[in-house]
Amino acid sequence: MTNTHLKLDGLAKSYGNFIAVEEFSLDICEGEFIAIMGPSGCGKTTSLRMLAGLETADRGEITLAGKRIDQLPVWERETPMVWQSLALFPFMTVRENVEFGLQMRGVARAERRRRADDWLERLGISTYADRNVARLSGGQRQRVALARSLVLEPKVLLLDEPLSALDAHMAIKMQGELKKLQRELGITFVYVTHSHSEAFSLADRVVIMNLGKVEQIGSPQDIFLRPRSKFVAQFVGGISLLEGKVLGREDSKRFLNTRDGKVRLSHSCGLAEGAAAVLAVRADRISVTITPGWGENEIACTLVSEEFAGAVVNLHLETASGHSLVAQLQQRDLEQLDASIGARVYASWHSDDGFLLDRARQSLPGTKVRAA
Amino acid sequence: MPPHLKHALPIAFWVAGLALVFILLYAPILSAVLFSFSADRFPSLSMSGFSTQWYAQVLTDRAMLEALWNSLTVAGFTALIATALGFAAAYADYRFRFFGQKAVLALALLPPTVPLVILGLAMLAFFSRIGIAGTLAAVVAAHVVIAAPFAMAVCRLRLAQLDRTLETAAQNLGAPPHSALGRIVLPHTVPAILAAFLITFAVSFDEYVISWFTGGLNQTIPVAVLTTLQGQVDPTIHVIGTLSFTVTLTLVLIALAVVLRQSGGAMSKEETS
């Protein structure tokens, strides 16, 4: 991943008064796996459609391998797409579906068949080559959709929620296959999804969008551990936010004055005294005890509810000022805690585990998480 | 039988009712078929014998043969033009979303609801003004107006079953618009286009009022039949009725078979997917 291969520069798209994409810029390297994620209506699909030429951008440029493509019509873009509905041609056989793009490029019959059969073989569906696509299972149809695009040997493959039609088990299996395929081929994947697990487990970089704007671009770890805005923190989930004002230094330590008391900030924070700030702490870094005096930053809370999530349990807490916190505990630790709903507990964390959100992004509209 | 009908009227009642409807519908037609083979000059149930003489008379009647030829020509051209227009209109409605779409659709489907006498008279006035009244071309033009909505309706039904993404997907794979239309939309719509052709042919072949107003001396079969009837009761009418009925019925049955086969196929596809 060295050079910029696919460049989206200032793309924007409105429909009448509705702004679908306000501003979208992204430099994608060759062979990178990019996931674009966000709630419904955030502009992720519109961005992908602009890339494919299915929507004309109002502003902005798209460059692929040094060549400007945003003014090319759909059929000349070489950006095949795997559709949410798959959009397989229903009255054609599997092989005819895969050969379609090659035929449109004027590839001779024998060559077309050889290349299509190669891909059917590679994706393990050569047994069904002569079958009508309507008579395939979900996973097989998914593979036909992939083969149909990949047979064109594109530099970029676009995927629009490609696994949403599959059942959970099959979707996870296909996730693994997609990642493997992408690594082997070394081509760029641009993958739109509303699923955290798909985006985080597949992508090299994740783009989080909200209300037509990019909120954050970064590696899954970056976004998971260091969300920059309230929106991202809430969208990713499992993060407690505390608002307050930065206090002056005391013995080289810095503190944030919140409505629930003073909490210590990590050394890396560089905000001036008196600045408004939002402190974020991951749920798995918060400890919960029934007696005070265990941790460095401690806030008295009421245990509001428990949410069972497999090996771990999420505890929802409420501070005296009515603020919500979430803590993630192992089952074992919960048993030791022995607190019932409504009990008084103490939430604490190490100051190095707290981080301040990017100030420039704190006052963005739409910090409320909409249904994904 | 559905449970809610169980204690209602006995099934024999429904069967009898249905039979009565069919008898009332088809008895006059069957009587025409029957009398067309009668040896008598006047239709009566005490037929003196079986004969094909009236068929021989019709098939040698130059005026009737000319009318038949006119009808076939008019119906053929009408079906071609109406189907092309109907498909184009249905495709535009399927493919694009535009302001006033519902209004355009309503306007396109409107003509068959206008009383034929009014349509015929208005057409005659218009055609004589532009100087084509009394020609077969005028009859074709008028028939296209009433037939095209049927073609559009049939094509729309079929297109509604086609995922709109498919055409875009074809373009995304490198197909220019005309290829995407030809390779994806048309193959899917062919049965409907065929059905639309047959139905519009039948509509034109049977149509009397507009043909009478606009055709002038160029009589189509229905006009010729009515003209003959005004002069005398001629047993050849039964022959023409039988032949026309056979032609129309055949066309409609083929259209029906095509439409039923396509939707049957679509259904079995959905089951397996």
Side-chain angles (χ1 to χ4, degrees):
Chain A
M1 288 182 224
T2 45
N3 55 326
T4 297
H5 172 64
L6 177 61
K7 188 179 174 68
L8 314 181
D9 192 6
L11 293 182
K13 178 76 185 173
S14 315
Y15 303 96
N17 289 330
F18 176 69
I19 300 169
V21 176
E22 193 171 327
E23 150 84 42
F24 188 89
S25 296
L26 179 65
D27 292 350
I28 303 174
C29 300
E30 195 165 356
E32 209 177 2
F33 198 131
I34 295 282
I36 306 178
M37 187 169 61
S40 321
C42 70
K44 56 186 193 296
T45 298
T46 308
S47 300
L48 193 75
R49 290 174 67 86
M50 284 194 277
L51 198 45
L54 304 168
E55 306 283 352
T56 317
D58 299 337
R59 283 196 309 276
E61 288 184 15
I62 307 169
T63 324
L64 175 60
K67 202 178 112 201
R68 187 147 173 213
I69 62 164
D70 54 282
Q71 281 149 339
L72 293 177
V74 186
W75 54 94
E76 285 173 17
R77 286 220 187 175
E78 313 267 332
T79 47
M81 178 144 141
V82 177
W83 305 74
Q84 187 170 12
S85 66
L86 300 184
L88 301 179
F89 305 131
F91 33 80
M92 295 186 193
T93 64
V94 169
R95 186 186 281 118
E96 284 166 351
N97 263 277
V98 178
E99 281 185 19
F100 185 85
L102 295 172
Q103 197 181 356
M104 289 302 125
R105 281 162 179 73
V107 177
R109 180 185 287 266
E111 170 73 2
R112 215 156 69 198
R113 184 167 173 133
R114 190 186 61 72
R115 282 166 69 178
D117 284 354
D118 274 358
W119 271 100
L120 293 178
E121 178 79 44
R122 177 159 193 169
L123 293 176
I125 43 173
S126 36
T127 339
Y128 313 108
D130 295 309
R131 203 182 274 192
N132 186 302
V133 288
R135 307 183 51 184
L136 296 178
S137 73
Q140 290 159 355
R141 290 163 62 81
Q142 188 73 55
R143 288 183 176 82
V144 178
L146 277 169
R148 187 176 72 170
S149 295
L150 290 172
V151 74
L152 302 173
E153 295 170 4
K155 298 190 186 94
V156 178
L157 182 68
L158 310 180
L159 303 102
D160 183 13
E161 309 214 9
L163 304 183
S164 57
L166 298 179
D167 59 65
H169 173 74
M170 198 64 206
I172 289 172
K173 187 159 174 257
M174 282 307 295
Q175 260 185 47
E177 289 189 29
L178 271 178
K179 184 70 200 170
K180 187 161 160 272
L181 200 59
Q182 191 263 346
R183 260 194 216 125
E184 287 171 4
L185 295 171
I187 64 172
T188 308
F189 274 33
V190 182
Y191 189 107
V192 160
T193 180
H194 62 260
S195 151
H196 295 58
S197 67
E198 280 175 26
F200 286 149
S201 65
L202 291 173
D204 298 317
R205 276 195 299 160
V206 177
V207 179
I208 308 269
M209 291 187 78
N210 183 39
L211 297 170
K213 280 193 209 158
V214 173
E215 286 277 333
Q216 188 169 356
I217 301 174
S219 69
Q221 290 79 3
D222 259 2
I223 287 181
F224 193 70
L225 297 174
R226 285 276 184 274
R228 267 169 52 190
S229 66
K230 266 194 192 175
F231 171 80
V232 177
Q234 283 165 334
F235 186 71
V236 167
I239 294 179
S240 300
L241 301 174
L242 287 161
E243 292 178 48
K245 275 199 162 58
V246 178
L247 297 173
R249 279 178 203 281
E250 299 170 22
D251 314 333
S252 81
K253 294 174 186 168
R254 307 216 58 171
F255 291 89
L256 186 71
N257 193 17
T258 74
R259 281 185 293 170
D260 295 295
K262 230 166 63 168
V263 293
R264 194 183 152 196
L265 300 173
S266 69
H267 288 288
S268 53
C269 125
L271 287 171
E273 186 179 343
V278 179
L279 177 72
V281 189
R282 290 215 56 82
D284 54 327
R285 301 298 167 89
I286 293 184
S287 316
V288 180
T289 53
I290 43 172
T291 49
W294 290 89
E296 169 180 32
N297 294 304
E298 197 166 73
I299 294 180
C301 302
T302 308
L303 176 57
V304 177
S305 64
E306 290 177 15
E307 178 194 344
F308 176 70
V312 295
V313 178
N314 292 319
L315 296 186
H316 295 276
L317 312 172
E318 197 175 284
T319 65
S321 73
H323 201 81
S324 294
L325 298 179
V326 58
Q328 195 172 68
L329 266 66
Q330 300 289 323
Q331 278 292 351
R332 191 185 51 219
D333 299 332
L334 181 72
E335 285 157 24
Q336 283 174 6
L337 180 66
D338 191 30
S340 51
I341 304 293
R344 184 165 194 76
V345 293
Y346 296 87
S348 59
W349 66 92
H350 193 274
S351 60
D352 286 342
D353 287 331
F355 56 94
L356 293 176
L357 296 182
D358 187 346
R359 267 199 80 222
R361 296 186 162 264
Q362 278 163 26
S363 55
L364 272 178
T367 44
K368 206 176 136 210
V369 183
R370 288 188 286 172
Chain B
M1 189 193 281
H4 65 279
L5 288 179
K6 220 160 204 168
H7 299 293
L9 297 159
I11 192 153
F13 176 85
W14 300 108
V15 172
L18 193 64
L20 190 67
V21 169
F22 277 123
I23 289 169
L24 287 174
L25 267 176
Y26 287 103
I29 297 168
L30 284 177
S31 75
V33 177
L34 190 67
F35 292 131
S36 74
F37 290 107
S38 166
D40 304 326
R41 173 138 187 82
F42 295 101
S44 109
L45 275 176
S46 54
M47 277 166 55
S48 64
F50 175 85
S51 157
T52 54
Q53 56 168 318
W54 310 119
Y55 280 84
Q57 194 178 323
V58 166
L59 294 176
T60 53
D61 181 343
R62 279 205 52 205
M64 272 305 161
L65 286 179
E66 198 183 316
L68 178 67
W69 180 244
N70 284 345
S71 270
L72 290 175
T73 315
V74 167
F77 279 107
T78 300
L80 270 179
I81 300 167
T83 303
L85 283 176
F87 171 76
Y91 177 72
D93 179 58
Y94 158 81
R95 183 71 173 77
F96 305 105
R97 294 288 167 265
F98 49 89
F99 178 76
Q101 185 159 12
K102 287 235 166 80
V104 169
L105 183 66
L107 215 57
L109 291 171
L110 194 66
T113 66
V114 177
L116 288 176
V117 178
I118 293 171
L119 209 58
L121 203 59
M123 290 280 180
L124 175 61
F126 177 67
F127 289 146
S128 45
R129 180 156 297 201
I130 63 171
I132 62 164
T135 64
L136 286 182
V139 183
V140 170
H143 279 183
V144 165
V145 172
I146 53 161
F150 291 103
M152 180 186 177
V154 172
C155 291
R156 268 187 88 224
L157 275 182
R158 181 66 178 157
L159 282 172
Q161 297 172 4
L162 185 69
D163 177 2
R164 289 178 69 215
T165 324
L166 292 181
E167 200 182 357
T168 328
Q171 294 191 3
N172 174 253
L173 290 170
H178 63 272
S179 300
L181 180 68
R183 287 291 310 274
I184 306 302
V185 180
L186 277 180
H188 173 85
T189 326
V190 156
I193 292 174
L194 199 62
F197 183 87
L198 297 172
I199 289 170
T200 48
F201 191 97
V203 165
S204 165
F205 193 77
D206 272 357
E207 204 287 323
Y208 166 71
V209 180
I210 290 177
S211 309
W212 185 82
F213 272 110
T214 58
L217 293 174
N218 293 300
Q219 293 186 333
T220 59
I221 280 281
V223 176
V225 169
L226 266 291
T227 312
T228 309
L229 267 183
Q230 278 162 353
Q232 78 240 15
V233 177
D234 190 317
T236 57
I237 294 303
H238 297 304
V239 174
I240 295 162
T242 305
L243 292 178
S244 302
F245 175 67
T246 312
V247 170
T248 311
L249 187 70
T250 310
L251 293 178
V252 172
L253 283 181
I254 295 174
L256 206 61
V258 169
V259 173
L260 285 184
R261 220 190 64 188
Q262 71 183 3
S263 55
M267 231 178 277
S268 63
K269 265 179 208 166
E270 275 155 28
E271 275 163 23
T272 49
S273 62

